[in-house]
Structures are given as structure tokens and as C-alpha cells.
Amino acid sequence: MRSILRGAVVAIGLGVATPALMAPIATGQARAAEVWQTLPAPAPAPKGATTGMAPVNGIQMYYAVYGKGRPVILLHGGLSNSDYWNSLVPELVARNFQVIVADSRGHGRSTRSAQPYSYDLMSSDVLALLDYLKVPKADLVGWSDGGIIGLDIAIHQPERLNRLYAYGANSDLTGLKPDFDKSPTFAAFIERAGTEYQKLSKTPDQYDAFLQQVSQMWSTQPDFTADQLRGITVRTAIADGEYEEAIKRGHTDYMARTIPGAELHILPNVSHFGLLQNPEEFNRVVLEFLTEK
């Protein structure tokens, strides 16, 4: 979700139904070939979490830690929250990873401040959380905005990352498809995100103000240059779904081609929401990337 979403997300915040939001979305009756048109709910929360609120950069950042072993942090997409990783967490724990999930500032259970949003700021939040948890270096799996945050850290603080898996991310605004928010699947996600915000946030009545802050960032960012991508030394996979609604396929190819040694993963028959639509396949490719020699 980026600047093109501004009209749709603000409409949700004001309770106005746009044509895109009224469009139907495929349900469980959809044929397997149409799974990319569905929006399954996140899986139930895994057991065994140690949770807390970390004081970082003037906010309280929600986190949960599962298991023991090699640390990996999972970063969700814009408007969502860490519950979207519930299917991947137990798979990683079973492979001897210490899994850290977090809600980005203003998202989910985390608070926000008046400070303008930027990917640099959100990257700083993540690194401050890792410092708080005494994790000097970690793998990072990011979806959408989470993937962009991962790219920002890989560019500016590569010593903090072992590997980066970025799904559904873009490096600049030219990578976005026009009017992608009119997709029924995206419209349904935006509507769900508003409901989740009211349920989880400590300021459930401030959704409009939150959207305004985030939208200001999306109107100009990210803006990574080709030289910055070429300078990435972290082992990286650039991934997306075959039916991605928001990111141009050529842009995904460009990022994978420009980042030295990057792998390109295009998951079949899923979209921007592949982690929900086919979690078994999504989890498999993430685990393969994180564990391959």
C-alpha cells in the first residue's frame, strides 16, 4: 500500500463506501486456480510467546518472541499487524529459530507519536527493538512495507542482518501499478485493516489521524536508488506472487537483478497476500532461503 491507496484508506477511515470497497471478493468456494483472489484470515496465534512493549524512539512497540536459536524478525505490511505471521512462526520455531514479531509504530498494539513517518524512522524502530532484546544481528523476513524496511536496513545498516527475504516490496514509486487499490482483494484488506485497528490499537478512535501520517510517507517513499540497491551486501531474496496487484513484475525483476546475488522468487497462483493465500508454499520457500547453505 502506497500513495495510490490514500483515497481508499481515508474513505475507510471516514466510513465511506467506495465502488472498490463494495466489490465482491472470492470466498472459500473459489476454485483452487482462483486462490489469488481470496483473502483468508490470519491463523490463530501460536502458543508460547513472551510478549512486551519496548520503549523505542518515543513510542511503545509491541513484540512477541517465540522459541530459541538463530534470531529472525518478521515485519508485516502497511496497515496490518504481526498476527499476519501466525502461520510462519511455528514453522520457524520447529527449525530452531528464535522468532521475533513486532507491530510497526501505530499499527496493531504499538503506539505512535507526532513524528512524521519514514522508512528510515521505522527501520530505526526495528533496530532499537533488537537492541532492547539484545539481538545484535538477525535474519529479516518482510512483507510489503516490512520488506521495504528490510531493504532500508540492508542499505544503511547491513551489519545488523544475516539474510533478507522481501516479499511484495518496491524500491521506488515507479514500481507501483496504477489503481491497484480498486482490486477487490485489496479493498477487502483495507476494510479488514480498519476493523483490526479498532480492535487492537490503544487509540481505536484515531484511525483517520494514523492513516494521514502513513499516507504522507507513502506519497514520496520509498526512493532507493539503483546505486543503493547495487551496494547491498546482505544475502537477499526478492519475492512476490504471480498475481501481484500492486507491484509491477518488471520492477520486482529489476530489484532482483540490481541487488548483487539476489534470488528471485515468484510464487505461483498467489498475489500480494501470498502469505495468507498459500501459507504452506510461502513458509516452504522462506524456510529454504533461510536454511540453505
Side-chain angles (χ1 to χ4, degrees):
M1 296 71 61
R2 308 292 182 270
S3 58
I4 296 174
L5 277 182
R6 295 175 76 180
V9 296
V10 170
I12 283 290
L14 297 175
V16 178
T18 68
L21 299 177
M22 297 296 290
I25 182 169
T27 66
Q29 286 125 354
R31 298 188 306 274
E34 297 171 341
V35 67
W36 59 273
Q37 295 175 311
T38 69
L39 189 69
K47 296 180 180 179
T50 299
T51 64
M53 302 293 287
V56 301
N57 295 333
I59 66 165
Q60 293 290 316
M61 190 170 190
Y62 170 83
Y63 68 88
V65 182
Y66 300 84
K68 295 181 180 180
R70 182 170 134 199
V72 56
I73 186 164
L74 312 181
L75 302 180
H76 62 78
L79 304 186
S80 64
N81 57 80
S82 57
D83 293 351
Y84 281 65
W85 295 116
N86 285 350
S87 290
L88 180 56
V89 168
E91 300 294 327
L92 289 166
V93 170
R95 298 293 292 271
N96 298 316
F97 283 90
Q98 179 191 58
V99 184
I100 304 162
V101 298
D103 291 343
S104 295
R105 63 169 48 227
H107 296 68
R109 307 152 189 85
S110 294
T111 66
R112 73 183 202 283
S113 67
Q115 190 170 0
Y117 274 67
S118 71
Y119 288 110
D120 282 346
L121 175 60
M122 296 174 78
S123 298
S124 177
D125 293 342
V126 171
L127 296 178
L129 171 63
L130 293 178
D131 289 343
Y132 178 82
L133 296 174
K134 297 181 171 55
V135 176
K137 195 170 188 177
D139 297 316
L140 191 154
V141 179
W143 161 52
S144 195
D145 270 8
I148 297 171
I149 293 169
L151 289 170
D152 190 280
I153 295 173
I155 289 168
H156 297 110
Q157 300 237 245
E159 72 279 0
R160 301 302 301 269
L161 298 182
N162 288 308
R163 302 186 189 194
L164 167 63
Y165 194 92
Y167 183 94
N170 61 304
S171 60
D172 61 63
L173 299 184
T174 66
L176 295 175
K177 295 180 180 180
D179 297 328
F180 68 83
D181 57 298
K182 293 181 173 57
S183 153
T185 314
F186 250 97
F189 166 70
I190 296 166
E191 189 168 23
R192 175 190 289 178
T195 300
E196 291 169 342
Y197 181 92
Q198 292 175 354
K199 176 183 177 183
L200 297 175
S201 177
K202 296 183 183 302
T203 54
D205 60 341
Q206 296 182 20
Y207 192 51
D208 291 351
F210 161 66
L211 290 178
Q212 183 176 5
Q213 282 185 290
V214 177
S215 293
Q216 287 173 349
M217 176 180 73
W218 288 339
S219 67
T220 59
Q221 297 179 40
D223 58 354
F224 305 130
T225 67
D227 283 343
Q228 285 177 311
L229 296 181
R230 291 189 193 101
I232 291 177
T233 57
V234 176
R235 186 168 178 175
T236 300
I238 298 297
D240 215 334
E242 179 184 7
Y243 293 98
E244 164 67 57
E245 300 94 341
I247 311 298
K248 298 174 184 175
R249 171 59 191 273
H251 186 76
T252 301
D253 293 343
Y254 153 75
M255 288 192 294
R257 185 175 63 248
T258 306
I259 297 171
E263 299 179 17
L264 175 64
H265 298 173
I266 302 298
L267 277 60
N269 205 35
V270 295
S271 75
H272 193 76
F273 306 95
L275 73 169
L276 298 177
Q277 294 162 343
N278 191 344
E280 294 81 9
E281 177 68 6
F282 184 90
N283 296 349
R284 183 186 67 80
V285 296
V286 169
L287 281 164
E288 285 185 356
F289 174 71
L290 293 180
T291 59
E292 66 188 5
K293 301 299 183 183

